[in-house]
Amino acid sequence: MSVDNFQYGHDLVGFVQLESTYGVAVKPTASTGFRASSISMAPVVNRAIPSDRKNTRSRQERTEGKTSATWGMSCLVRPSGSLGVAPDIGDLLAMVFGTETVNASTSVVYTLGKDNSGDFGTIYRETSDIHEVVYGAVATDFTISWSGSGYATIDINGVGKGFTRTGHTAANGAGSTVAALVVDDLDFLGLYSIVKIGSDDNSGAGHQVTAVVHSTETATIEATHTWSDDDAVAPFLPTATLTGSPLYGTVGSVSLDGGSTTTKVVSGSVSVTTGHDLLNEEFGDSNPTDVVMAGMREVTFSLDLIVKKDETHLHSEFFRKIQKDLRITLGDTAGDIVRIDMDTCEIDPVGVEIPEEGMSRVSLSGVALASSSGEDEISMTWI
């Protein structure tokens, strides 16, 4: 009988959950799953070449240096459909902004924090029969984009403490109420792999690997268990509970005065560079040990407009640095609305593109600034 040995993009699903202790992975549950158009994960390994000489021009060795991980995801904007219920990617948004406030039956609001060093999490990626995880993950970049003829999308990228890929192996010997699982080939597992042993999936939660010793092909699982020799040890993640419908560009609005009036745009985007990074330079450590606020936060935006006579005055206002109260609203049905507020925005003056034929267009860009209080240059409300 043939065995399907390939991985398929249509099987993609993600899971995200905030960690309570940095770098200690949290097991996903069904409610922590999210849809994605793409999820990328990769280990980062620094291997140094010694600089001393040995009477040869050949390279003969490399030394293991510091390790870390990178990750990224792209998804459609999908509100939960219920007031006061966070979207499936709520924990990812909390990692970007810093604060998630759930107002029961009303809204979920994401606002900025000065110290986001506690906003880190675990991200699992499932594709067919191979699973991957980045733990100790922080978000470094966020972009939400929309257009009149497409879905609204969110892209988030970041870095992490470590990376593991999980495949298929088998138990090498029976075990009776023990946590030390000896397998045929430990290279198919890693720290924080989640597996099913034989037919036992730990009541739908999976068995998490908490330590690995390659010299003995031993994976330590989180609790004692019993298995038979040659039982399959396979990747396991729960079946995700997914919510919400995607938002398309036929419903929504853009306002330059906080919602009093609207301005038509063709497309636009808002980006946040968080300034988050990982501490991975101290002597004696092989991977990141903490989250640091390494740089200033930057909030920028872009708007593409068709040039209209009755909006010519806006270009003078941009030149005179008249600040705007920018509000972007995606969707128009309660429970399926995302509102982005940037109360103090400066839009840079630009020239108008004059095409050989067709309508003239202009591409605007600007910066969102904070008030004297700080940490309030942007907020995102799901209502």
Side-chain angles (χ1 to χ4, degrees), residues 129-365:
D129 286 331
I130 293 179
H131 302 164
E132 294 174 331
V133 59
V134 169
Y135 49 93
V138 300
T140 57
D141 302 281
F142 163 90
T143 298
I144 183 168
S145 306
W146 66 94
S147 72
S149 57
Y151 289 107
T153 62
I154 286 177
D155 295 273
I156 306 175
N157 298 298
V159 292
K161 179 182 179 70
F163 166 90
T164 287
R165 180 177 290 120
T166 304
H168 289 253
T169 184
N172 187 351
S176 179
T177 318
V178 293
L181 172 64
V182 180
V183 297
D184 290 343
D185 189 346
L186 191 59
D187 283 323
F188 283 95
L189 306 180
L191 181 64
Y192 301 130
S193 289
I194 297 177
V195 298
K196 178 172 68 172
I197 306 173
S199 61
D200 188 345
D201 60 13
N202 194 19
S203 300
H207 301 274
Q208 187 179 62
V209 174
T210 58
V212 292
V213 179
H214 281 274
S215 61
T216 59
E217 305 285 358
T218 302
T220 301
I221 56 177
E222 60 191 322
T224 59
H225 182 61
T226 298
W227 58 85
S228 301
D229 181 32
D230 213 32
D231 271 358
V233 179
F236 178 85
L237 289 173
T239 300
T241 302
L242 304 171
T243 65
S245 299
L247 298 182
Y248 200 79
T250 52
V251 286
S253 62
V254 174
S255 173
L256 298 177
D257 55 12
S260 297
T261 63
T262 59
T263 299
K264 290 293 186 180
V265 304
V266 176
S267 61
S269 66
V270 175
S271 296
V272 178
T273 301
T274 65
H276 302 169
D277 206 348
L278 300 177
L279 179 60
N280 195 21
E281 57 185 288
E282 292 184 319
F283 180 74
D285 296 321
S286 61
N287 54 44
T289 57
D290 212 338
V291 181
V292 294
M293 303 293 99
M296 299 291 285
R297 180 191 305 111
E298 305 290 348
V299 181
T300 59
F301 58 89
S302 66
L303 301 171
D304 293 331
L305 292 76
I306 295 173
V307 177
K308 299 175 181 177
K309 289 188 291 184
D310 60 358
E311 294 176 346
T312 305
H313 68 288
L314 291 175
H315 298 276
S316 175
E317 292 181 353
F318 302 156
F319 184 78
R320 294 189 301 116
K321 210 173 80 165
I322 302 298
Q323 293 180 335
K324 296 296 181 179
D325 183 354
L326 184 56
R327 170 173 287 183
I328 298 103
T329 304
L330 310 176
D332 62 357
T333 303
D336 283 318
I337 298 173
V338 180
R339 192 179 71 206
I340 303 166
D341 285 295
M342 296 177 286
D343 297 343
T344 307
C345 291
E346 293 184 358
I347 300 176
D348 299 325
V350 296
V352 175
E353 302 172 12
I354 307 297
E356 183 175 340
E357 57 184 28
M359 296 175 292
S360 297
R361 301 170 184 264
V362 63
S363 296
L364 302 174
S365 61

Side-chain angles (χ1 to χ4, degrees), residues 83-169:
L83 290 170
V85 177
D88 291 346
I89 61 167
D91 280 354
L92 285 169
L93 296 176
M95 289 163 61
V96 172
F97 286 85
T99 301
E100 178 190 70
T101 303
V102 177
N103 302 302
S105 302
T106 303
S107 65
V108 181
V109 185
Y110 296 91
T111 53
L112 302 174
K114 182 178 180 181
D115 182 0
N116 287 25
S117 59
D119 300 312
F120 43 79
T122 303
I123 304 169
Y124 279 88
R125 177 175 77 171
E126 177 180 5
T127 54
S128 304
D129 286 331
I130 293 179
H131 302 164
E132 294 174 331
V133 59
V134 169
Y135 49 93
V138 300
T140 57
D141 302 281
F142 163 90
T143 298
I144 183 168
S145 306
W146 66 94
S147 72
S149 57
Y151 289 107
T153 62
I154 286 177
D155 295 273
I156 306 175
N157 298 298
V159 292
K161 179 182 179 70
F163 166 90
T164 287
R165 180 177 290 120
T166 304
H168 289 253
T169 184

